[in-house]
Each structure stands twice: as C-alpha cells, then as structure tokens.
Amino acid sequence: MMTVHPTSPRSRTPLRLTALLLPALLAGCSGRPAPATPAVTPPPSAPGVRGAVELSFELGAHPSAQATVRAAGLRPQDLRLDGDVTFERPAAFTDYDDTTGFRYMNATFTVRNVSAQALENLTLYAYNRASTNVGGTALKNITNAAGQSLADASVARSVLPMHGTAFDALSGTSAVVPTQADFQVFTAAEASALETAARSANVIAAEDQVLQYGYSARNLNTSGNRRRLEAAGCGAPGCDTGRVTIAVRVPNTNVASNPYRFTMTFVLADEAVTRVSQGVQEQGDDSLVRARAADVGASEVRVLGDSSYDGAATPVCAPRIAVPAGSDGALALGGDCPTTAGVLAAAETGRVIISEFQALGSEFVEVRNVSGAAVDLRNFWLRNAAGQLARLRAPTDLDGRSGTPALLAAGASAYGVANPAGGALPAGVNFVYGAPGTSFTLSDSGDLLALMTRVGGAATLEDRVDFRTFVTNPTTPLTASSMVGFAGVSTQLDSAAGTASANNTPTNWCGSLYLSGGRGNRVTNTAGSANSSCQVAAINEVMIDAPGTDDGKTFVELVGPGGALIGGARVNDVEGMGTTAGTLNTDGDFAPGETDGTFVIPAGTRFPADGILLIADATTAGATSVPGYVAGVDVLARDMDMENGGGDAIQLVSAGGSLLDTVSHDPTGNPLATNAAFNGLALYESATALTPIPPTTTAATLARAALGADTNNNRIDFYADPSPTPGDANDAVNFTAGTLSPDDGPATLGAANITVTGTDFSPGLRLTAGSAASSACTVLSATAATCTVPANVGGATGLVNVRLQNPASVAAPDAVLAQAFTYTAAENETNSAAEADFCTLQFPATFSVTQGQRTPSLYGQVYEAGLTEAAGAPANLLAEVGYGPSASSPLSSNAWRFFPATYNVQVGNNDEFVGTFTAPVVTASTTYAYTFRFSQDGGVRWTYCDVNGAGSGAGLTFESTQLGSMTVAP
C-alpha cells in the first residue's frame, strides 16, 4: 500500500518525499513475503524494539523520499510486509540554502501505529549498518546531483543531524521550528542497551552499531500528552497517528561532492521516558528547549556537552554520530562536556572577568566589564567544579522568557545572586544566575568558578577563578597558592588587577575590608561597586606595657584584607617627645638581623583568613606567652616591645616605603613634639590617643574601635581595652558592674577591701558610694577588683548607689549599681526600739576550719518582746553571722564580713537562727573573731551579739572580748 499526499510549497529547490510502507521489496525479490520469524523480547532495561526503518532523500527535478520498514524479529536480510508502524509520505518538507554554504533538509513523515499496543514515545535511533553505510554513519547510497556515487567517508560525515528549521531572512541563518523539533540525543549507555536489544530482536546485525542520536515522533494533539500513539483501531480520529521530522544539514559548496541523494538507517523503539533534546543550533537560547519540554510534558531534558542550559538536565557529552571507519575515528556532535582540566587549560577571552565572590554564607558573584564596549550578560553563564551551570539573567526576567537585556557598560561592575525560587532579591542586585530555585552553589571548601560565553556558536571560556585551595580557617597557614575566604566576608580582586590573567594569581585576591578609595568603617563586601585595594592595612591593637616584665608578653596586632600580602612591611617604635622626637625608640633588645626599634615582617607573609595578623614579642629563647599566637600563621619578633609611658608613636610602613597607618599615644592626650619621623612620615592622625594606665596584675591594650574603623583620628579610633583580644577581632568595651561583697559597712567607717565583679575593669578603676569621695581600686582582672568604700558623709546611714569609673582612656560610660551598698549603724546600748531586747552567740564558742571550706553550723538566738514569742520565723527580722580580725569589734572595724542566717527553731520565747560561710584563704593558721547580728529595719541598724548576751535588756552590754573564735588552717 502506498499513500501519496500532495507536496507542500518549497522554499527553494523542488523536493518530493515519499513514504513507502512495505519493508524493502528490492530488486531480486521474488515478490513473495518471507516466512515470519517470531519476535524476540528485548531486555526489560532497554526500550521496546519495533523494527528498523530506512529513509531515503532525493532532491532535484524529480525528487522523492521513501521509508522502508523492517519489523522486529527478522534477520537484517529478511523482508516482511507487516510491522508495528507505518511511515507515509511526508506531511511537510522543505529544503533551503543559507548564506554560510549549507543546505537544510526537513522531512516530516506521517507515522501510524498499526499494532494492538499503544506507543508511548516512538523513537528512531540512528545506526550504522556496517555492510552498506558510509564512513561509520547512518547514511548509505549517497550520490551527487549527477547520480555519481559519493563513497568518500568525509561526505557522509559532513551531514549533521538537527531539529527541523526554517530560513530567517533577516539574519540569513536557520531558526528552529518548534513543531518540527524532534531531534534527540542519547547517552552511550542508552545507545548500547538499544543496540543489544536490536541484535536480540534480529533487527540489526552483530557488526552494526547504534549511534547516539535520533528523532522522536509526536502525536496530533494540541495539548496534554504530545507523544503517545494509541493502538490501531482506537476510537478518536487520528488517535493512532503522529508525525516525525527528520532534519539534517548538508554542505552546499561543491556540486560534485554535495550530497544529493542518500538513505538514513534507524532502529525503531518505544521508550517509557518522555524527553526533549537541545540541538546544536539552539545552544545560545535555552528558552526553546524549556518551552518544548513544557509543551510535550517531558520528564527529562537532554543537552549537549557545551550547552549553557541551567535547568535540570542530562548532559550528553559529545554524542557519537559516526563510529570509527577506516582511518577515521568516532565522530561526535557538538563539544565535549567541560572538565576541570579543560577549564584550566582553555585560553580566557577576558572581556568580562570575575572580580568578587562570596562562597560562605549568602553567596554572590560580581563581574567586571574590562572591554571597551557594553555587553549583554544574558550571553554568559557560570560553571562550577561540579559541572553545574547557571545562565545570567536580568533581575526583572527571572525565567529568561522575556529576553530582557542585562547590559553591563564598559568598565562597570555588576553583581548577581542565585535565582531564588520565590523571586525576592536583595537590593542592588544587577543580575541573577540560574533558573528560578537553582541549586547552583559554590562549595564552602573551594571551587573552580568559570564564566562562559559563546563565540561563533562555540562555548568559550571568558574567565575563571580557581579557588579549590580555599583557606577559610584563620589558624591555617597560607601559601602563595592559597585563596582566602571568611564567613560573612566576600573575596575580591585587588583593584589594580583588572585582567583575566591577573585574577589567576591567588595573592591578587583578598577578603573585603574597606570601601574603595581609603579606609573607614569596615565592610563585608563591595558588591556592585569598585573593589578596594588589597594593599591596605592598619594597626589594630597594641600591648604597650604588660604586667611585670614585658619580654614575651607585648604585641602589635594588624588588621588587613584576609589573604593580602604584608611581608616586607615595617613596624616602627618612634619617640614623640623631647629632643629625640621622631627617632626610633631603642632598648637594646633585638635579634641578629633586626634593627633596634623597628621590625620587618618576613617576606611572603599574608594576612590570615580573618584579616588579623599578630606580631608577638619573643624572649631570647624564641618563646612567647602572648595568648592567641598561632605558629605558622602569626609572626614572632624579638623586638616587639614598645616604649612604655606614652608620648610615642607606632608606624606601619609598607615594603615600598609608604605609610600604611600610624598611631600615637600620650597619657593626657598632649600632641607630640613633632609629626614627622626620621623617615619623613607622619607620627599621628589628627590627635593622639590616650595611653592606657600602667598595669598592675592586669593590663589594658591600645585598641582600635571594633570592626577596624578608621576615621584618621587616633583619639577617636583608639581606646584602652581592658580585655585584650590578641589574634581576634576587637570588640567594643562592655564596662559593667555586677556584685559587691560585702555590700555594707559602718557609715562612720565604710568597708575595706570589698570585692567588686563586673566586666572590662581597667587599671585606674575607681569606686564612689553615695556622695562619699571616690577611692582607687586594685584591678585583679578585667572582671574583678578590690576596692575600699570610704565613710559616708556625716556618718549617714542607708542604701546608696555605687558608681564605678574606668579611666578616660577606656572611653566608656560609668557603670552604676543602684542602691547597692548599705551604710549601717550599730544598735547596741542605745535602748532604742531598734535595739533587740536580747541576743547571743549560742554555739559554738570556738571552732576550727580549713581555708576555702564551709564552717560548721553556727547558732545564735534573739528575743524581742511581741515578736519572737510566737512559734515560727519572726517577721521583719534579719539575722547574719560573720567574722573579722581577732580582737577587733564589728562596731569599730570596717574589715568584718557578714553572711545570711536562717530561722532554725523556737527556744522558749527566743528564736534560734543558724548560718554558715566559707572560710577565708590564709597562708598560715589564723584566728578570727566571729558573732551574730540582728536587724529590725531591713539591714540598716544592727544589734551585735556576744556569748554572754547583749541587747537593751537590763544589765546587758555588748562586749568585744566575749566574741566567738574561729581558727582557719591553710
């Protein structure tokens, strides 16, 4: 049976195509069908093989095309008239020449399912029939227009399979026709599985090989499922019918060697997976394959190796369109899948370069146009080491369908973020990369980031940044090949390195620190704006004077861009006062090769990942006790002991001799005698900082404001930090007051050596209680001090505020404890209502305890008429037990310490209380006096007790010689 359809209009050369439904009734055939051979079921992992088909093309005055179908289960030489599928004369066909020397041939065949089983995805796999085909291809019987055979393998290999196309008169090129885009590519494993199945079904011979391309049929539906062909005899018109477009490009430059007639060989198979493939002529436009996938309801997208498609897809790397034949090797379609080695070896075009990125935390990528003309970023895509792709899009065209340009002017920078699923973008974003909800990411452990574009249809490397050696831990030593990253901070290209070759040098990259053009507040990135220089650095913290001797304890800390080179820079200790102002301070303490008063940072030294470099003073033995020092990361210096006392300056000078930073300091903030050092460079910026108070048991450093801020004013930028942070980022002073112990004392005496806790206590700390004069404290650490509370003015009793004051160099507001100290009075022998009627130290009269241990339970009793007679704890009565120096009286000494006691039991009319406390630390066996006291007004006025009774009762007096005794052993 042959069905002939009228030819459709052609664009240039006439073409007639015919679909022949019988399977190859060739010359020499008897005309009688061969005996049927039972079909062999293919392996379940392979598509169902339905037979083979040969499609013949012919151009010219009497063009024709035919299809010959061989059913499954036959040997390749067998002939049959039946089969599962029929091909009929093409429903549409075109051929045309473009302006680049090629002819395009498109034939759309009508396909009908004549089997009793529906076909889900009827697919034609091209194969090389070894006995007849030319050059290892799927082509045979190739002739030119004169009918001369073209057996040259290069002719067959010049025929390129593709999607159906139409001529675009405006551009003079070909454009894909969506309704004729049936071209498919297959993985090597898929082609091999189909090959095995076809051999098992006797459709191809053992020496035949299935190639990695073909075409898929589509049904006549306009919506819904676009691939399924229902079984023969289905009810709806055309439900078993579809179409497939076979399209190729052939050379058209030499009449004698141009393919004019040829036949293509295919294996027919039915596949379970609905897929679409991106063809060679649509590599620069992902929207076509996206639309096609949506149109047919594809569950899988196939792309060629050098595609820029950034959606979910299976890349098919250099699919084989011809097997080795003769001296020719295998022939692949399109480029191979990029590899790390390939990206590293490729030459960079370098018109647009990667200039900044952030891999840790919120990722972004910045690019800079270093060419002389504007570029459209839509023509670029990113690739990482994992092979993920992400095409650049305008932020107003997240799905890329509108084709909105993302123009980047010459010399300009733009930054983009991964295309979010929800569409919400950070302010200032210039582009997005990847499809909406893209999984494209930069590895936290390092990556190879490539910027790709397409030049002349070929994927081309525009720029690459190899940061697979990625150091993000500030305690990890850096080498010249290390790239640096740090959490929350971007990695940027030095502003002076503006080429693709320059950004291949790791030391040209650094962490963001300041904005372009100078120093100021520290920033985390410069996305979308000019990059800063990696050659900036500042003095961040200095331990000028350490407790005790300075040797091995002092340090200078620098802040700079992480990863930036600082080797060769100098730290100078310069005198600022007197006749020697401007000269180096010398102390004779330096190592061979060093210059007294100056230190040269070793060549090749780089700032650690966090941008903080510690230069620690070393002893003659090469050791340091500076906390935070990390060997191999930080630097040891024999002479890093700055001049004490103030009136000095510290300079940081680059290896080239320019001033990177300087800080001067003076105890009262006086200006230095000169602002020009021996090297002609400045000694201070605007005003001197205040020198930290000399240390006691602890020391404060001269520290730059948090986050490395630099306002070019030493007084504003630096403060005394009571909590040094060598090797770590500076923090703001957090000066607080926490507790007082004891928190009371006689109003006429105050309290000696009370312990004060808090934070950021500096040497020079002072305490003020109420309106009494302030007193100096001894700072034990940044969180503890001992202070003396003076007597209150006029001996006034009551609760008062306590104010702690750090020295002015700390630049911190006073810390206030409201109503924190009680000035007390003794109510003994006053016969006032506030005096207890009777109280006594009940038991024991004497005891011994080891220092730091809790005392045994101590007991005291009290009687107050109308208050203690009733059983149970009395209301509004405080009881405390305490100790003081031996032979002293709590009425006349401010060295006593008291602690709460609790109600114990009713003893007649008396109430008994019990208490305990921790014995003080002693160096030798020490005896203390101890006793109880009671208050009826909340702790302001107290009745003190002894062992034979005290109070307002007749004949009762307080006797300091009748106190209990506590012996504390060390």
Side-chain angles (χ1 to χ4, degrees):
M1 178 184 72
M2 178 179 295
T3 304
V4 179
H5 298 272
T7 60
S8 63
R10 56 193 182 277
S11 53
R12 291 192 181 180
T13 305
L15 169 67
R16 186 178 70 234
L17 299 173
T18 308
L20 197 63
L21 299 184
L22 39 154
L25 293 176
L26 302 179
C29 177
S30 65
R32 181 169 51 85
T37 302
V40 179
T41 303
S45 59
V49 175
R50 297 293 181 173
V53 61
E54 295 180 355
L55 301 179
S56 299
F57 295 84
E58 179 180 351
L59 303 175
H62 303 287
S64 66
Q66 65 181 12
T68 302
V69 180
R70 183 185 303 110
L74 299 183
R75 296 183 303 277
Q77 67 271 20
D78 288 338
L79 302 177
R80 283 190 57 177
L81 294 176
D82 60 344
D84 291 340
V85 180
T86 65
F87 283 72
E88 300 177 5
R89 181 171 176 160
F93 52 84
T94 58
D95 78 295
Y96 62 89
D97 301 337
D98 68 5
T99 58
T100 61
F102 292 101
R103 171 168 290 177
Y104 293 79
M105 303 168 61
N106 311 305
T108 302
F109 288 88
T110 297
V111 183
R112 182 169 287 111
N113 182 8
V114 295
S115 73
Q117 196 172 41
L119 301 176
E120 298 298 334
N121 289 278
L122 181 64
T123 302
L124 289 73
Y125 276 75
Y127 80 99
N128 170 247
R129 190 174 186 186
S131 61
T132 60
N133 290 17
V134 180
T137 69
L139 279 72
K140 69 177 185 176
N141 301 335
I142 309 172
T143 63
N144 61 16
Q148 298 171 321
S149 176
L150 299 177
D152 186 346
S154 65
V155 174
R157 287 171 168 251
S158 67
V159 177
L160 185 73
M162 57 176 45
H163 289 301
T165 60
F167 183 72
D168 183 357
L170 291 177
S171 64
T173 59
S174 296
V176 174
V177 178
T179 57
Q180 298 178 7
D182 297 332
F183 173 73
Q184 299 283 9
V185 291
F186 314 111
T187 66
E190 289 167 343
S192 177
L194 193 281
E195 184 178 289
T196 300
R199 287 173 182 166
S200 298
N202 290 326
V203 169
I204 64 174
E207 65 272 17
D208 298 340
Q209 297 181 63
V210 173
L211 305 176
Q212 288 180 249
Y213 78 91
Y215 303 87
S216 290
R218 59 191 183 278
N219 58 36
L220 303 181
N221 295 338
T222 58
S223 63
N225 186 291
R226 305 299 300 277
R227 289 280 179 82
R228 180 182 173 92
L229 301 180
E230 300 294 346
C234 55
C239 59
D240 57 1
T241 303
R243 290 174 179 169
V244 62
T245 296
I246 311 298
V248 295
R249 187 193 74 183
V250 299
N252 191 34
T253 55
N254 187 332
V255 173
S257 61
N258 289 343
Y260 194 78
R261 301 178 182 88
F262 56 86
T263 297
M264 297 184 72
T265 55
F266 298 95
V267 173
L268 291 177
D270 185 28
E271 297 189 316
V273 178
T274 301
R275 64 172 67 97
V276 295
S277 296
Q278 192 177 36
V280 291
Q281 69 274 53
E282 56 180 350
Q283 296 293 286
D285 188 353
D286 297 339
S287 63
L288 296 176
V289 70
R290 290 183 193 278
R292 191 159 62 249
D295 182 55
V296 304
S299 59
E300 186 179 353
V301 174
R302 294 288 175 84
V303 297
L304 298 178
D306 57 357
S307 171
S308 62
Y309 184 83
D310 58 5
T314 300
V316 180
C317 307
R320 185 179 62 175
I321 61 173
V323 298
S327 61
D328 295 320
L331 179 64
L333 182 67
D336 202 352
C337 292
T339 62
T340 296
V343 171
L344 291 172
E348 299 166 290
T349 303
R351 298 169 304 144
V352 179
I353 65 172
I354 300 166
S355 54
E356 189 173 356
F357 65 89
Q358 184 163 308
L360 304 177
S362 299
E363 296 184 4
F364 73 85
V365 175
E366 179 192 79
V367 296
R368 185 191 308 167
N369 181 2
V370 296
S371 74
V375 296
D376 188 349
L377 295 179
R378 289 183 307 153
N379 299 323
F380 296 81
W381 66 94
L382 299 174
R383 182 188 186 277
N384 61 17
Q388 290 180 302
L389 305 181
R391 181 176 281 276
L392 275 55
R393 297 172 167 86
T396 55
D397 186 17
L398 299 183
D399 60 9
R401 296 182 180 180
S402 300
T404 305
L407 296 178
L408 181 61
S413 298
Y415 93 99
V417 298
N419 199 344
L425 297 174
V429 166
N430 307 111
F431 64 86
V432 296
Y433 49 84
T438 180
S439 61
F440 184 92
T441 186
L442 301 177
S443 173
D444 288 355
S445 60
D447 217 321
L448 175 62
L449 179 62
L451 180 66
M452 309 291 294
T453 189
R454 202 169 293 281
V455 176
T460 303
L461 178 66
E462 190 74 32
D463 186 31
R464 65 171 169 261
V465 176
D466 183 2
F467 64 102
R468 289 173 297 165
T469 303
F470 197 43
V471 176
T472 60
N473 187 335
T475 64
T476 299
L478 301 178
T479 67
S481 62
S482 302
M483 287 279 280
V484 167
F486 193 63
V489 176
S490 70
T491 302
Q492 63 172 274
L493 182 65
D494 188 289
S495 57
T499 65
S501 59
N503 76 0
N504 291 333
T505 302
T507 52
N508 284 338
W509 289 85
C510 62
S512 296
L513 181 64
Y514 296 117
L515 292 174
S516 175
R519 301 197 296 261
N521 289 329
R522 187 168 185 174
V523 298
T524 58
N525 65 75
T526 60
S529 59
N531 287 9
S532 179
S533 171
C534 290
Q535 308 310 311
V536 296
I539 299 167
N540 200 48
E541 187 175 8
V542 183
M543 175 67 79
I544 299 171
D545 191 3
T549 61
D550 290 347
D551 199 24
K553 301 177 183 177
T554 55
F555 65 85
V556 171
E557 179 187 89
L558 307 180
V559 62
L565 284 168
I566 191 63
R570 292 176 175 267
V571 178
N572 295 329
D573 181 13
V574 185
E575 177 59 57
M577 296 295 188
T579 58
T580 59
T583 64
L584 290 173
N585 284 314
T586 59
D587 59 6
D589 183 19
F590 60 98
E594 293 183 351
T595 299
D596 201 0
T598 187
F599 175 74
V600 180
I601 301 172
T605 300
R606 301 174 67 185
F607 278 103
D610 61 355
I612 298 172
L613 179 70
L614 183 60
I615 307 174
D617 189 62
T619 64
T620 54
T624 185
S625 58
V626 174
Y629 170 79
V630 178
V633 173
D634 297 316
V635 176
L636 272 183
R638 184 70 188 86
D639 187 19
M640 197 46 59
D641 183 9
M642 302 294 108
E643 178 83 355
N644 296 342
D648 301 290
I650 303 165
Q651 290 180 324
L652 177 61
V653 181
S654 74
S658 61
L659 185 66
L660 293 173
D661 193 24
T662 185
V663 57
S664 67
H665 58 96
D666 182 79
T668 59
N670 289 327
L672 302 185
T674 180
N675 198 21
F678 67 95
N679 51 18
L681 302 176
L683 294 181
Y684 63 90
E685 298 172 347
S686 301
T688 57
L690 294 173
T691 306
I693 299 297
T696 51
T697 57
T698 185
T701 54
L702 187 63
R704 184 178 291 278
L707 302 178
D710 190 343
T711 66
N712 289 320
N713 187 315
N714 292 162
R715 179 72 57 81
I716 295 173
D717 293 340
F718 284 87
Y719 61 93
D721 188 350
S723 301
T725 57
D728 288 323
N730 293 355
D731 54 7
V733 170
N734 180 32
F735 180 39
T736 65
T739 63
L740 307 177
S741 180
D743 58 2
D744 66 3
T748 56
L749 301 172
N753 297 321
I754 69 169
T755 299
V756 183
T757 64
T759 56
D760 278 339
F761 290 175
S762 169
L765 180 73
R766 299 186 69 85
L767 179 146
T768 302
S771 57
S774 67
S775 60
C777 300
T778 299
V779 176
L780 306 175
S781 70
T783 58
T786 59
C787 307
T788 294
V789 177
N792 202 7
V793 176
T797 60
L799 284 168
V800 296
N801 294 341
V802 174
R803 181 181 301 274
L804 295 178
Q805 298 165 297
N806 260 330
S809 58
V810 179
D814 295 347
V816 177
L817 288 173
Q819 303 289 284
F821 187 82
T822 305
Y823 279 111
T824 65
E827 282 295 332
N828 286 88
E829 285 72 64
T830 64
N831 293 318
S832 69
E835 184 177 2
D837 291 344
F838 167 82
C839 71
T840 183
L841 168 58
Q842 187 70 19
F843 178 84
T846 63
F847 67 91
S848 297
V849 65
T850 302
Q851 67 172 359
Q853 299 299 310
R854 298 295 290 182
T855 67
S857 294
L858 309 174
Y859 300 91
Q861 291 185 11
V862 61
Y863 168 73
E864 179 67 24
L867 181 63
T868 63
E869 295 92 343
N876 302 317
L877 182 67
L878 296 180
E880 292 184 346
V881 60
Y883 67 92
S886 178
S888 71
S889 169
L891 279 64
S892 58
S893 171
N894 64 0
W896 277 69
R897 302 287 182 269
F898 283 89
F899 308 90
T902 58
Y903 176 78
N904 182 45
V905 67
Q906 188 74 29
V907 181
N909 289 331
N910 297 348
D911 286 336
E912 185 175 88
F913 286 79
V914 62
T916 184
F917 52 84
T918 300
V921 175
V922 297
T923 58
S925 181
T926 305
T927 300
Y928 295 87
Y930 94 94
T931 194
F932 272 78
R933 67 177 183 176
F934 295 89
S935 173
Q936 300 182 62
D937 65 356
V940 176
R941 311 184 76 82
W942 294 88
T943 300
Y944 292 84
C945 314
D946 55 25
V947 295
N948 58 5
S952 61
L956 297 177
T957 59
F958 173 77
E959 299 173 79
S960 60
T961 59
Q962 297 298 311
L963 301 180
S965 177
M966 172 180 71
T967 301
V968 180

